[in-house]
Every structure is written in C-alpha cells, then in structure tokens.
Amino acid sequence: MAYWFEKNDMRRFRRVDIPARLLIVPSRPTRTGDIFTYGIDYFPPSVQKRLQHAQSKMHYWINHIQEQQDILAPVFAEFERYSRYFGGWVESVSQQARSPRTEVASWLEFHAYGKGVQDLEELKAHAPKTFQYFDLLNQKMQAYYRHFSSCLEKSDASQFQMPEPLESYFEIDGLAKNFAASVNHDQKVPLVQALYYLYLYTSYYFRAYDEMLNDFFPPASPKAWRQKEINLSAGGLSVLLDKRYPANSRCAIHLFFPDTGQRLDFEASFVRSFTASHTHKETNAFNFNFPDGHSQKVVVFEIERYEIRSSMAVAAF
C-alpha cells in the first residue's frame, strides 16, 4: 500500500503499517433515491472475482457429479439464482438508492424469492443427506431475505432502519466448515466440492449485506470496532477492505489505539481505491482534514511509539 497519497506534500510524511481499531463512515448519504444509502460499492472487482471463482468451481464440480446429476443440477441452479437476486438488490440499495418497495411487481417478486428455493421434495426422497445440506442453506437464505425485507419496510429516503439484529451464526456455517476440510483433500468428491463452492458463492452475497448493515449501524464502543492493519501517516491512511467508498466523498474517520486508549475523530477526503492483487481486497485511501494540530500530533506520536516498540521487539529477539 505504498502508493496512495494525492496531495503534493504527502511525500514528506513517512508511512507505517500499524494495527488500530478503525471506523469509517461517509459524512453524507446519497441525496437522490428511494432509500437512505451512502453509495458504497460492496461488489468491487475483488469481490466480483471471488464470486466468479466460486461460480466457476461450482459449475466444474456439478458437471463431474456422477449420480443423480439430473436432480441435483437444477437445485444448484436455483440456489445460484436466488443468491444472485439477493445480491442484486443489495447493490441496488447501496449504490443506486433503489428499493424494491417502490414498485408493486418488484416487491411481490422480492417476497416470492424470500420464501426460499421451492420444490426440494424430490431431492429429499432420493438424497436425504444432500437435502439436509440444501435445506440448511435455504434456512439461512430465508433468514437473510426476511431481515432485508424488514429493513426495507421500515426505511425511507431519510433513514435506513434495522428493526432487529440479524442472526450471526447458522447451522449451515458449521457444516460448511467441515466440508472445507475436504476441499483440498486428494480424494475430491464432486458433490462435496460443488456444495462447498455453492456455500461460498452465497456467502459472498450475504457478507456484502452484512457489510452494508455494519456501515449503517456501527458499534458504539471503540473496542468493538474492527481491528485493522492500516498504512498510516500524519497526512492520511489507506486500508484494505472488501468495499470501495464513493469517489470524492468526505468521510468521518474514527481511530482507536488499544495500547494507549487514544481515540481520534476527524474528517477525511476519500482520494483513491484500487484492487490490491496480492490480497484480493480493495485499497481505500484517505487524506486527513484535521481541524487543528492536536490530532496530527497524536497520530505522529502513535506512529513513533509503534516504531519504537517494534524496534525493541526485534532487538530483544
């Protein structure tokens, strides 16, 4: 993340990769549209690439399933379609401020998808264990649709409302972890591989929704903010994320350094984003707009303190 600064005098500030708890919130929402949103892109190139990879792998392994492929392939296709539809509305809300509630047909269609994938009875009769996996994934999908629907019903152009928190863990998540252990095994089972990549494919859409909710309703306590390694200088910072902030936007930057308990709150200008190929994430870079010299001095102090501690740790080793 060495190249991110914009201002001509940024070169005089040294930059250090330093851990900190970080919260970034755009200062203003998108001004036009059906629903309140910040205009953040939750499907940048890195996320799109992950979706394409999971989809490609899933299709590859579906084609290698030898038993009951005629029954299984349509079920995979339905889950893929339902996931993509969900993600499409996350993108429409977050980037276009467009809600399915504005049109009766769209809202009815959204609720139809919210019922989850139907017609799984044939699968239940012929492959009960596989049905169980699909059924658990269906339950998670229905929960996400229900929550999204509830938020949309309560929200308007002036505010985005979340009536209740979304569940953080589903039974399918634990089952998928067990499947993950088999993905790189020498004896690859096509059905297990296909199911695992379907889970990944749906999860990328669900994570985008989770990320959007986190931006709308960030934790109040600094100790609950996400721990990140940021590239920090006295003039700005860059951080790797699974999203991109709107071009030329102003954002509120909140930094918390756990070791010293120091918290900083100030405004920054978003200056650049690009995909970091080595991490498959998005580099988001900001220039600080300090209201006074105190905040900048605190940033310099934290950088120097971190460098001293790092040097001492190396010397002790």
Side-chain angles (χ1 to χ4, degrees):
M1 291 189 290
Y3 178 61
W4 56 263
F5 44 81
E6 282 284 337
K7 294 179 181 177
N8 293 330
D9 62 349
M10 285 297 169
R11 293 179 183 273
R12 65 189 176 91
F13 297 126
R14 69 180 184 278
R15 302 184 307 282
V16 176
D17 290 330
I18 181 172
R21 295 199 177 275
L22 174 69
L23 177 64
I24 304 172
V25 181
S27 300
R28 300 181 186 87
T30 299
R31 294 192 177 279
T32 58
D34 311 320
I35 194 166
F36 182 96
T37 187
Y38 288 125
I40 298 172
D41 182 5
Y42 297 104
F43 296 97
S46 57
V47 175
Q48 292 286 355
K49 189 172 183 178
R50 280 180 232 156
L51 282 164
Q52 291 166 6
H53 178 263
Q55 184 184 48
S56 176
K57 285 285 190 179
M58 176 176 60
H59 290 174
Y60 173 84
W61 288 109
I62 290 172
N63 291 332
H64 284 74
I65 295 174
Q66 296 181 351
E67 297 181 3
Q68 300 176 329
Q69 190 189 77
D70 58 327
I71 297 174
L72 290 168
V75 177
F76 275 99
E78 281 294 274
F79 274 91
E80 184 180 343
R81 182 166 66 91
Y82 276 61
S83 303
R84 189 167 55 247
Y85 182 85
F86 181 89
W89 277 113
V90 173
E91 187 171 23
S92 292
V93 167
S94 62
Q95 290 221 269
Q96 303 169 22
R98 179 169 166 257
S99 169
R101 291 188 68 236
T102 56
E103 297 178 5
V104 174
S106 297
W107 194 226
L108 290 174
E109 184 181 58
F110 187 92
H111 278 283
Y113 272 89
K115 294 177 182 178
V117 176
Q118 305 296 303
D119 302 325
L120 295 177
E121 291 306 313
E122 185 178 3
L123 181 64
K124 185 177 182 179
H126 291 86
K129 289 186 178 180
T130 306
F131 164 81
Q132 182 184 21
Y133 187 96
F134 278 117
D135 188 49
L136 291 175
L137 184 57
N138 213 19
Q139 290 175 29
K140 182 175 182 178
M141 183 178 294
Q142 290 168 336
Y144 268 80
Y145 267 103
R146 279 196 306 271
H147 191 270
F148 199 3
S149 175
S150 181
C151 290
L152 293 171
E153 287 175 352
K154 301 293 183 181
S155 303
D156 54 31
S158 64
Q159 59 182 348
F160 191 95
Q161 291 279 6
M162 182 170 65
E164 57 186 24
L166 177 64
E167 296 174 58
S168 59
Y169 183 81
F170 296 85
E171 191 174 345
I172 186 64
D173 299 330
L175 191 57
K177 284 185 179 180
N178 295 333
F179 274 38
S182 304
V183 168
N184 296 318
H185 197 275
D186 291 337
Q187 300 296 325
K188 290 182 170 62
V189 179
L191 178 58
V192 172
Q193 297 284 324
L195 289 171
Y196 175 71
Y197 283 109
L198 172 62
Y199 172 82
L200 281 186
Y201 183 77
T202 60
S203 293
Y204 293 144
Y205 286 117
F206 295 153
R207 287 178 197 172
Y209 180 69
D210 292 338
E211 193 70 36
M212 182 176 73
L213 292 182
N214 190 69
D215 285 329
F216 284 136
F217 307 99
S221 171
K223 294 180 180 179
W225 298 345
R226 292 177 182 173
Q227 179 85 7
K228 292 287 184 181
E229 184 174 89
I230 59 176
N231 190 250
L232 181 66
S233 84
L237 68 80
S238 67
V239 60
L240 293 169
L241 301 168
D242 290 323
K243 58 189 174 185
R244 286 185 175 185
Y245 286 87
N248 304 314
S249 61
R250 293 277 182 118
C251 296
I253 298 282
H254 307 280
L255 281 173
F256 179 69
F257 300 94
D259 290 347
T260 59
Q262 188 71 247
R263 171 176 172 167
L264 290 174
D265 306 281
F266 45 82
E267 193 176 70
S269 299
F270 178 72
V271 293
R272 176 182 282 120
S273 63
F274 56 90
T275 303
S277 57
H278 65 292
T279 61
H280 304 295
K281 288 182 177 290
E282 303 298 316
T283 297
N284 288 260
F286 302 83
N287 285 337
F288 297 151
N289 303 322
F290 290 120
D292 52 57
H294 171 72
S295 296
Q296 190 172 50
K297 288 179 181 178
V298 173
V299 170
V300 171
F301 168 78
E302 290 293 341
I303 290 174
E304 291 176 345
R305 187 191 63 81
Y306 180 76
E307 288 182 318
I308 291 171
R309 288 192 60 182
S310 298
S311 298
M312 291 175 64
V314 171
F317 179 78

